[in-house]
Amino acid sequence: MDYTLAVGDADTTIPGGTGVLLLHPSIGETDRIDTDFLKADTDNFLVVSTRTTAREVEQKLEHYDVDESRAEILDTISVERGYSRRSSDHFHYVSAPDDLDGVVEQVESFLASHAGKRRISVDSLTELAYYADVDGVRDAASQMLDLLTEYDAVGLFHLSREVHDDDEIRRFRELFDVVIDLTDDGDATVELPEE
């Protein structure tokens, strides 16, 4: 199954099972790319939010006119910040921000319980690595990419280029078929696999 990928001037399709790495500056405006990715050509999507609470994710989806009825949100940060966790069919939580196994399990649960075209957004790998460690996050990303292949889904994974050294960025990049490179001034280029 093919999925639309519309970023900047690029409008192409990617096959199910594709992981997309969004490489961005620390202060980069990633919301537009993220929400464009989630709203196009999808039946259901999961936002794995490591930077903002489920409520803040909802507000972002509302602001960018994304159909919230298709959304599920995995909030990894509320427990760390001591916020109450609102129970809802669409909100999910893990025990701590560094619970990588819990994150992977929630991604698998989402993919297994929904049919049709499914997308996930992981915002962000960098934030997960702040709480856990880079090697563990890379392994978790690899497991999530395997799940995308298994369930014919696609995913967008955020990574801040300013936080990681060149070797770490290279090790993450080699996991992904497609890389979106977002510059400081908001220009995005898409690197697709060579035919």
Side-chain angles (χ1 to χ4, degrees), residues 6-188:
V7 178
D9 297 333
D11 192 355
T12 186
T13 58
I14 54 175
T18 299
V20 179
L21 181 65
L22 174 57
L23 199 56
H24 61 86
S26 292
I27 52 153
E29 182 50 62
T30 59
D31 286 354
R32 169 64 65 194
I33 290 173
D34 201 39
T35 52
D36 282 352
F37 177 82
L38 293 171
K39 72 170 128 180
D41 190 24
T42 188
D43 295 308
N44 296 98
F45 62 86
L46 171 69
V47 177
V48 179
S49 183
T50 65
R51 296 186 307 114
T52 56
T53 65
R55 181 69 197 125
E56 289 168 311
V57 173
E58 271 192 328
Q59 289 168 345
K60 177 174 87 171
L61 297 176
E62 251 172 60
H63 178 77
Y64 285 96
D65 199 26
V66 182
D67 183 355
E68 291 174 65
S69 70
R70 299 176 179 180
E72 299 215 3
I73 301 167
L74 173 57
D75 176 343
T76 70
I77 198 71
S78 283
V79 65
E80 174 72 12
R81 294 186 180 162
Y83 298 151
S84 63
R85 296 186 274 178
R86 296 167 50 194
S87 59
S88 155
D89 291 344
H90 302 296
F91 291 168
H92 308 278
Y93 300 91
V94 289
S95 61
D98 63 352
D99 181 6
L100 299 177
D101 290 340
V103 170
V104 173
E105 285 167 18
Q106 289 281 355
V107 168
E108 182 167 23
S109 174
F110 165 77
L111 292 172
S113 62
H114 292 83
K117 291 193 166 184
R118 293 153 293 182
R119 295 178 184 247
I120 66 166
S121 166
V122 179
D123 184 7
S124 74
L125 294 173
T126 298
E127 200 73 17
L128 277 176
Y130 173 79
Y131 292 103
D133 62 280
V134 169
D135 288 341
V137 171
R138 188 181 182 280
D139 290 345
S142 181
Q143 291 174 56
M144 287 186 267
L145 291 169
D146 288 344
L147 290 169
L148 295 180
T149 300
E150 181 180 342
Y151 288 96
D152 203 24
V154 292
L156 181 69
F157 296 73
H158 298 232
L159 188 73
S160 173
R161 87 168 60 79
E162 285 146 23
V163 175
H164 303 279
D165 63 32
D166 290 346
D167 184 56
E168 289 175 356
I169 290 172
R170 178 190 55 74
R171 290 179 62 233
F172 276 108
R173 277 182 91 125
E174 65 192 18
L175 293 175
F176 291 88
D177 302 317
V178 178
V179 177
I180 299 171
D181 203 336
L182 184 64
T183 65
D184 290 345
D185 46 9
D187 295 329

